[in-house]
Amino acid sequence: MKKISNIKYILALLAVIVIAIACDKVEPTGVLIGHTSVNDRVKQSIVYYRDWDKMAGEHEVKGDYSFLVGSDSHLRDDLTRLSEMFDDQIANNDILSAHCGDLAETQPEYYALVEDLVEEYYNNYPGKFNFYPVVGNHDITRNGWAMYTKIFSMSTYVVEVIVVDDNGKEVARDALIFLDSANGTFGDYQLDVIDLSLFWDLNEETMDVISKQDTYRHKFVFTHTNFFRPRKNAFSSTLPREELYHMFRLFHDWHVDIVFCGHIHAWDDREYAGVRYITLDAMSADNNPEYGELVRCYVGDKVDCKTVRIK
């Protein structure tokens, strides 16, 4: 009887794998593994980041501001949802649009369309349009990282928002931290680099290492892999338990306001250890035909978020 039960279990598992392979919306290698390592991608990103035009990752604003967040657009030929997101950002005068991964299905022609669209908006709305994505598991399968990096260069980076008064004097500075978790792990190299580069600096006169922890008023993290499961039967990878609790502690120590993520295609909003975790539902038309759901974050001395629906 025990052998029969084991055989039934194995057959059931094989059936699930076969169904997953047959379904074009679920790719087992995209769920379980990526075709590049997070450490290699982050090392490549750091090289780009060091040479990055500082103004590209630094935005000066007067007073309060807002930004827009989406996730899991899984684009193919139809870029309507992404265009609507960009249009909403421009219409609302948000300083930027952020995306939490799985931007497109990894075929060269789909990323070529995305590249053209992003370039079109940058050309049509200079100074008003800004788009900052992180890489998702679907973005790195089928050699997708080569296509992704051609457009966006980096998988991990920091964007600073400098708030000034009417006289141009800086009154606050916020950090938007984009982290690579596309393989279901952040990797030791990324955590060391981001911790050192974000919260420590070198005084060139005294050559002393100084803390930047108190430099930022608010901190926001954007990444792909979800931290919590809104539903128990979701077919998606998540972080290893030891790393999960390490990240909880790290975000608490960093005094992060909100962590935005996606991946699981289900909405969730909760607080843990003083940090708010928002998991966005997929904005793709295939997953949500009726509407795509985004989040708009309003930032002042306090932070507030509201959902935005696009058709």
Side-chain angles (χ1 to χ4, degrees):
M1 293 294 293
K2 187 175 182 180
K3 289 184 178 179
I4 293 174
S5 298
N6 288 339
I7 291 172
K8 288 181 177 179
Y9 176 81
I10 293 171
L11 289 175
L13 181 60
L14 288 173
V16 170
I17 294 173
V18 170
I19 292 171
I21 293 173
C23 178
D24 64 356
K25 293 182 183 178
V26 179
E27 180 182 347
T29 57
V31 175
L32 300 176
I33 61 173
H35 295 175
T36 57
S37 76
V38 61
N39 283 346
D40 287 343
R41 291 194 304 273
V42 173
K43 287 176 183 178
Q44 180 180 342
S45 299
I46 294 303
V47 172
Y48 280 108
Y49 187 73
R50 287 170 179 164
D51 296 332
W52 194 20
D53 179 3
K54 188 63 179 176
M55 293 308 295
E58 186 176 273
H59 299 280
E60 185 176 292
V61 298
K62 286 186 179 180
D64 298 349
Y65 65 93
S66 61
F67 59 82
L68 197 59
V69 189
S71 187
D72 294 87
S73 44
H74 292 278
L75 298 167
R76 292 186 175 87
D77 310 275
D78 186 359
L79 305 187
T80 303
R81 287 282 173 88
L82 190 62
S83 297
E84 290 175 349
M85 179 183 181
F86 293 166
D87 288 340
D88 200 72
Q89 183 227 308
I90 298 298
N92 195 73
N93 204 30
D94 301 314
I95 62 168
L96 59 88
S97 293
H99 193 285
C100 292
D102 284 356
L103 180 60
E105 295 301 309
T106 45
Q107 299 288 357
E109 59 269 29
Y110 302 148
Y111 272 89
L113 293 173
V114 170
E115 182 177 19
D116 290 343
L117 181 68
V118 171
E119 185 176 352
E120 176 186 334
Y121 273 83
Y122 271 113
N123 290 335
N124 291 342
Y125 302 98
K128 293 192 65 177
F129 172 73
N130 296 286
F131 183 50
Y132 296 104
V134 290
V135 67
N137 54 289
H138 280 268
D139 297 316
I140 61 172
T141 57
R142 304 174 190 156
N143 201 31
W145 173 242
M147 295 182 283
Y148 184 95
T149 190
K150 178 179 179 292
I151 310 171
F152 303 112
S153 302
M154 298 172 289
S155 68
T156 180
Y157 50 96
V158 177
V159 174
E160 293 186 329
V161 179
I162 302 170
V163 183
V164 299
D165 59 20
D166 292 336
N167 297 318
K169 180 181 178 181
E170 180 179 332
V171 294
R173 184 179 291 241
D174 300 331
L176 282 66
I177 308 160
F178 295 80
L179 299 181
D180 184 337
S181 61
N183 291 88
T185 178
F186 288 94
D188 53 353
Y189 180 79
Q190 177 175 215
L191 296 182
D192 288 344
V193 167
I194 202 73
D195 200 3
L196 289 173
S197 64
L198 180 62
F199 297 130
W200 300 94
D201 205 350
L202 183 67
N203 187 322
E204 295 182 359
E205 294 182 1
T206 63
M207 298 304 291
D208 292 330
V209 176
I210 54 177
S211 173
K212 293 172 61 182
Q213 178 66 261
D214 298 328
T215 300
Y216 300 106
R217 177 186 59 171
H218 298 300
K219 305 180 189 75
F220 306 96
V221 171
F222 306 84
T223 193
H224 183 62
T225 302
N226 52 294
F227 290 78
F228 298 96
R229 288 186 178 274
R231 57 178 187 264
K232 295 180 180 179
N233 61 343
F235 184 58
S236 68
S237 58
T238 189
L239 298 166
R241 181 175 297 178
E242 293 80 2
E243 184 173 348
L244 186 69
Y245 283 98
H246 174 73
M247 297 307 296
F248 286 151
R249 177 60 182 269
L250 199 62
F251 291 151
H252 172 270
D253 291 347
W254 286 0
H255 305 294
V256 170
D257 292 73
I258 305 175
V259 176
F260 296 95
C261 49
H263 185 50
I264 201 170
H265 295 192
W267 172 263
D268 190 56
D269 184 357
R270 68 180 77 189
E271 184 174 314
Y272 183 79
V275 179
R276 187 177 179 183
Y277 291 81
I278 296 180
T279 306
L280 285 85
D281 198 353
M283 59 179 282
S284 74
D286 287 342
N287 295 104
N288 293 308
E290 190 174 346
Y291 58 83
E293 196 160 72
L294 311 174
V295 172
R296 174 164 286 116
C297 191
Y298 299 88
V299 185
D301 289 335
K302 295 183 178 180
V303 176
D304 187 26
C305 288
K306 295 182 179 179
T307 57
V308 177
R309 290 181 175 179
I310 56 174
K311 294 182 180 181

Short mmCIF file of all heavy atoms in Angstrom, two decimals, residues 122-146:
data_model
loop_
_atom_site.label_atom_id
_atom_site.label_comp_id
_atom_site.label_asym_id
_atom_site.label_seq_id
_atom_site.Cartn_x
_atom_site.Cartn_y
_atom_site.Cartn_z
N TYR A 122 10.64 58.76 -23.36
CA TYR A 122 11.74 59.64 -22.95
C TYR A 122 11.90 60.80 -23.92
O TYR A 122 12.17 61.94 -23.52
CB TYR A 122 13.05 58.84 -22.85
CG TYR A 122 13.29 58.23 -21.48
CD1 TYR A 122 13.27 56.86 -21.30
CD2 TYR A 122 13.54 59.04 -20.37
CE1 TYR A 122 13.49 56.29 -20.05
CE2 TYR A 122 13.77 58.49 -19.12
CZ TYR A 122 13.74 57.11 -18.96
OH TYR A 122 13.95 56.57 -17.72
N ASN A 123 11.72 60.52 -25.20
CA ASN A 123 11.86 61.58 -26.22
C ASN A 123 10.68 62.55 -26.20
O ASN A 123 10.86 63.76 -26.39
CB ASN A 123 11.98 60.94 -27.61
CG ASN A 123 13.30 60.22 -27.80
OD1 ASN A 123 14.29 60.55 -27.14
ND2 ASN A 123 13.33 59.23 -28.68
N ASN A 124 9.47 62.02 -25.97
CA ASN A 124 8.27 62.87 -26.00
C ASN A 124 8.07 63.67 -24.72
O ASN A 124 7.43 64.72 -24.74
CB ASN A 124 7.04 62.01 -26.26
CG ASN A 124 7.00 61.44 -27.67
OD1 ASN A 124 7.70 61.92 -28.55
ND2 ASN A 124 6.20 60.42 -27.89
N TYR A 125 8.61 63.15 -23.61
CA TYR A 125 8.40 63.83 -22.31
C TYR A 125 9.74 64.00 -21.59
O TYR A 125 9.94 63.47 -20.48
CB TYR A 125 7.43 63.04 -21.45
CG TYR A 125 6.07 62.83 -22.08
CD1 TYR A 125 5.78 61.62 -22.74
CD2 TYR A 125 5.09 63.82 -22.05
CE1 TYR A 125 4.53 61.42 -23.34
CE2 TYR A 125 3.86 63.63 -22.63
CZ TYR A 125 3.59 62.42 -23.28
OH TYR A 125 2.36 62.23 -23.87
N PRO A 126 10.66 64.74 -22.16
CA PRO A 126 11.97 64.92 -21.52
C PRO A 126 11.84 65.63 -20.18
O PRO A 126 11.16 66.64 -20.07
CB PRO A 126 12.75 65.77 -22.53
CG PRO A 126 11.70 66.46 -23.35
CD PRO A 126 10.54 65.51 -23.42
N GLY A 127 12.46 65.04 -19.17
CA GLY A 127 12.41 65.63 -17.83
C GLY A 127 11.17 65.27 -17.04
O GLY A 127 11.15 65.44 -15.81
N LYS A 128 10.12 64.75 -17.71
CA LYS A 128 8.88 64.40 -17.01
C LYS A 128 8.70 62.90 -16.87
O LYS A 128 8.03 62.43 -15.95
CB LYS A 128 7.67 64.98 -17.75
CG LYS A 128 7.57 66.49 -17.73
CD LYS A 128 6.22 66.97 -18.23
CE LYS A 128 5.09 66.54 -17.30
NZ LYS A 128 3.77 67.06 -17.74
N PHE A 129 9.29 62.15 -17.81
CA PHE A 129 9.12 60.70 -17.79
C PHE A 129 10.39 60.03 -17.27
O PHE A 129 11.49 60.31 -17.73
CB PHE A 129 8.81 60.18 -19.19
CG PHE A 129 8.81 58.68 -19.28
CD1 PHE A 129 7.78 57.94 -18.74
CD2 PHE A 129 9.86 58.01 -19.90
CE1 PHE A 129 7.79 56.55 -18.81
CE2 PHE A 129 9.87 56.63 -19.99
CZ PHE A 129 8.83 55.90 -19.44
N ASN A 130 10.21 59.13 -16.30
CA ASN A 130 11.32 58.34 -15.78
C ASN A 130 10.80 56.94 -15.46
O ASN A 130 9.74 56.79 -14.85
CB ASN A 130 11.89 58.97 -14.50
CG ASN A 130 12.51 60.33 -14.77
OD1 ASN A 130 13.58 60.44 -15.34
ND2 ASN A 130 11.82 61.38 -14.34
N PHE A 131 11.55 55.92 -15.88
CA PHE A 131 11.12 54.54 -15.69
C PHE A 131 12.26 53.73 -15.09
O PHE A 131 13.36 53.68 -15.63
CB PHE A 131 10.70 53.95 -17.04
CG PHE A 131 10.18 52.54 -16.94
CD1 PHE A 131 9.20 52.19 -16.02
CD2 PHE A 131 10.68 51.54 -17.78
CE1 PHE A 131 8.72 50.90 -15.93
CE2 PHE A 131 10.20 50.24 -17.70
CZ PHE A 131 9.21 49.92 -16.77
N TYR A 132 11.98 53.11 -13.94
CA TYR A 132 12.99 52.32 -13.23
C TYR A 132 12.43 50.93 -12.91
O TYR A 132 11.62 50.77 -12.00
CB TYR A 132 13.40 53.03 -11.93
CG TYR A 132 14.07 54.36 -12.15
CD1 TYR A 132 13.39 55.55 -11.93
CD2 TYR A 132 15.40 54.42 -12.58
CE1 TYR A 132 14.01 56.77 -12.13
CE2 TYR A 132 16.02 55.64 -12.78
CZ TYR A 132 15.33 56.82 -12.56
OH TYR A 132 15.94 58.02 -12.76
N PRO A 133 12.87 49.91 -13.64
CA PRO A 133 12.43 48.55 -13.34
C PRO A 133 13.49 47.75 -12.58
O PRO A 133 14.67 48.13 -12.54
CB PRO A 133 12.23 47.96 -14.75
CG PRO A 133 13.31 48.63 -15.56
CD PRO A 133 13.54 50.00 -14.94
N VAL A 134 13.05 46.64 -11.97
CA VAL A 134 13.97 45.62 -11.50
C VAL A 134 13.71 44.35 -12.31
O VAL A 134 12.67 44.20 -12.93
CB VAL A 134 13.81 45.32 -9.99
CG1 VAL A 134 14.29 46.48 -9.16
CG2 VAL A 134 12.37 44.97 -9.64
N VAL A 135 14.66 43.46 -12.30
CA VAL A 135 14.58 42.26 -13.11
C VAL A 135 13.77 41.18 -12.38
O VAL A 135 13.86 41.03 -11.16
CB VAL A 135 16.00 41.76 -13.47
CG1 VAL A 135 16.74 41.27 -12.25
CG2 VAL A 135 15.95 40.71 -14.55
N GLY A 136 12.92 40.45 -13.14
CA GLY A 136 12.15 39.35 -12.58
C GLY A 136 12.60 38.02 -13.14
O GLY A 136 13.45 37.97 -14.05
N ASN A 137 12.05 36.92 -12.64
CA ASN A 137 12.50 35.60 -13.09
C ASN A 137 12.24 35.37 -14.57
O ASN A 137 13.05 34.75 -15.27
CB ASN A 137 11.87 34.49 -12.25
CG ASN A 137 10.35 34.55 -12.21
OD1 ASN A 137 9.80 35.45 -11.59
ND2 ASN A 137 9.68 33.62 -12.87
N HIS A 138 11.13 35.89 -15.11
CA HIS A 138 10.87 35.74 -16.54
C HIS A 138 11.81 36.60 -17.38
O HIS A 138 12.01 36.32 -18.56
CB HIS A 138 9.41 36.10 -16.86
CG HIS A 138 8.45 35.00 -16.55
ND1 HIS A 138 8.07 34.05 -17.47
CD2 HIS A 138 7.81 34.69 -15.40
CE1 HIS A 138 7.22 33.21 -16.91
NE2 HIS A 138 7.05 33.58 -15.65
N ASP A 139 12.36 37.64 -16.77
CA ASP A 139 13.28 38.51 -17.49
C ASP A 139 14.66 37.89 -17.68
O ASP A 139 15.46 38.41 -18.46
CB ASP A 139 13.45 39.85 -16.75
CG ASP A 139 12.15 40.63 -16.66
OD1 ASP A 139 11.43 40.69 -17.67
OD2 ASP A 139 11.85 41.17 -15.58
N ILE A 140 14.97 36.81 -16.96
CA ILE A 140 16.31 36.23 -17.04
C ILE A 140 16.31 34.83 -17.64
O ILE A 140 17.36 34.22 -17.78
CB ILE A 140 17.00 36.20 -15.66
CG1 ILE A 140 16.21 35.34 -14.67
CG2 ILE A 140 17.21 37.61 -15.13
CD1 ILE A 140 16.92 35.11 -13.36
N THR A 141 15.14 34.28 -17.98
CA THR A 141 15.11 32.98 -18.65
C THR A 141 15.31 33.17 -20.15
O THR A 141 15.15 34.28 -20.68
CB THR A 141 13.79 32.26 -18.39
OG1 THR A 141 12.70 33.10 -18.82
CG2 THR A 141 13.61 31.95 -16.91
N ARG A 142 15.65 32.08 -20.84
CA ARG A 142 15.87 32.10 -22.29
C ARG A 142 16.85 33.21 -22.69
O ARG A 142 16.64 33.94 -23.65
CB ARG A 142 14.55 32.31 -23.04
CG ARG A 142 13.48 31.29 -22.72
CD ARG A 142 12.18 31.67 -23.40
NE ARG A 142 11.08 30.85 -22.93
CZ ARG A 142 9.81 31.22 -22.98
NH1 ARG A 142 9.49 32.41 -23.48
NH2 ARG A 142 8.86 30.43 -22.55
N ASN A 143 17.90 33.36 -21.91
CA ASN A 143 18.92 34.39 -22.17
C ASN A 143 18.33 35.80 -22.12
O ASN A 143 18.81 36.72 -22.79
CB ASN A 143 19.60 34.15 -23.53
CG ASN A 143 20.95 34.83 -23.63
OD1 ASN A 143 21.66 34.98 -22.63
ND2 ASN A 143 21.32 35.26 -24.82
N GLY A 144 17.27 35.97 -21.33
CA GLY A 144 16.60 37.26 -21.26
C GLY A 144 17.45 38.37 -20.68
O GLY A 144 17.25 39.55 -21.01
N TRP A 145 18.41 38.05 -19.81
CA TRP A 145 19.24 39.08 -19.20
C TRP A 145 20.01 39.88 -20.26
O TRP A 145 20.20 41.09 -20.14
CB TRP A 145 20.20 38.47 -18.19
CG TRP A 145 21.21 39.42 -17.64
CD1 TRP A 145 22.57 39.35 -17.76
CD2 TRP A 145 20.96 40.61 -16.88
NE1 TRP A 145 23.18 40.40 -17.11
CE2 TRP A 145 22.21 41.20 -16.56
CE3 TRP A 145 19.80 41.24 -16.43
CZ2 TRP A 145 22.32 42.37 -15.82
CZ3 TRP A 145 19.92 42.42 -15.70
CH2 TRP A 145 21.16 42.97 -15.40
N ALA A 146 20.43 39.19 -21.32
CA ALA A 146 21.15 39.89 -22.39
C ALA A 146 20.26 40.95 -23.04
O ALA A 146 20.73 42.04 -23.38
CB ALA A 146 21.62 38.88 -23.44
#
